[in-house]
Amino acid sequence: MAEDLTINNGTKQEQYESVAQQISALMQGEHDLIANLANAAAALKTQFGWLWVGFYLVKNNELVLGPFQGPVACTRIAKGRGVCGKAWELAQTLLVEDVNQFPGHIACSSLSQSEIVIPLIKNGEVWGVLDVDSEQLSFFDEIDQKYLEDIVAAISY
Ligand code: SME
């Protein structure tokens, strides 16, 4: 079956509505977590062209690199470390306008300037995070937060 993503060129909201609907359709009837995370990362990267977008999954009390799109990245992150480890520890979304000002930021790529990390939560437990990086300062806002939180809420395992 052909799986083509239709790129939307409208407002940011329209782009998110479009890609969220397509991610949902791609996950329909597919219960393999890695397959769904891989397609979600690919769809988001294709629509938005961010520097890096991907998932880290909690394994043996650390975050381990999962499906992603972009430059190679660090493979393991301890709880509380960097933006990802902090979002995990706090179980809340972190929107970082300038990663160079974030204490303990882990620079996987020196090109990354701003970042948003959304925890994936099931039954009150964080089981992973979605991490998005941009080459521009202050790139992400509440619109990104709202739609990315909705997209990860639709991902289950
Ligand atoms: N910058 C992240 C690490 C992951 S990479 O950006 C892909 C952090 O500080 O947690």
Side-chain angles (χ1 to χ4, degrees):
M1 186 172 78
E3 302 285 6
D4 291 323
L5 193 86
T6 302
I7 306 274
N8 182 288
N9 293 310
T11 64
K12 186 152 83 171
Q13 285 93 332
E14 287 166 349
Q15 292 184 38
Y16 270 115
E17 302 278 355
S18 165
V19 79
Q21 190 273 327
Q22 292 181 79
I23 289 171
S24 168
L26 285 164
M27 294 191 301
Q28 198 81 40
E30 176 53 69
H31 300 295
D32 187 88
L33 176 64
I34 299 302
N36 286 335
L37 296 181
N39 262 343
L44 289 168
K45 172 77 170 170
T46 304
Q47 173 64 55
F48 294 105
W50 297 316
L51 172 66
W52 198 94
V53 50
F55 297 90
Y56 282 88
L57 302 177
V58 175
K59 293 180 184 174
N60 296 322
N61 208 39
E62 60 182 352
L63 287 172
V64 181
L65 184 63
F68 72 96
Q69 297 269 317
V72 293
C74 51
T75 54
R76 290 170 192 271
I77 298 174
K79 197 172 198 173
R81 283 216 54 226
V83 186
C84 291
K86 205 51 159 177
W88 172 21
E89 186 177 65
L90 299 173
Q92 69 181 46
T93 296
L94 291 182
L95 220 165
V96 180
E97 297 198 359
D98 181 354
V99 295
N100 301 300
Q101 304 300 320
F102 189 91
H105 169 253
I106 303 163
C108 286
S109 166
S110 58
L111 294 173
S112 177
Q113 298 298 320
S114 60
E115 180 166 0
I116 184 168
V117 179
I118 298 99
L120 295 96
I121 300 173
K122 183 178 181 180
N123 299 329
E125 288 280 308
V126 176
W127 58 273
V129 300
L130 169 63
D131 179 18
V132 189
D133 293 75
S134 170
E135 289 160 283
Q136 292 176 46
L137 286 168
S138 306
F139 192 74
F140 304 104
D141 60 17
E142 291 70 24
I143 296 171
D144 298 284
Q145 177 169 352
K146 181 220 174 302
Y147 282 100
L148 290 173
E149 286 178 349
D150 287 352
I151 287 170
V152 302
I155 299 172
S156 56
Y157 73 96

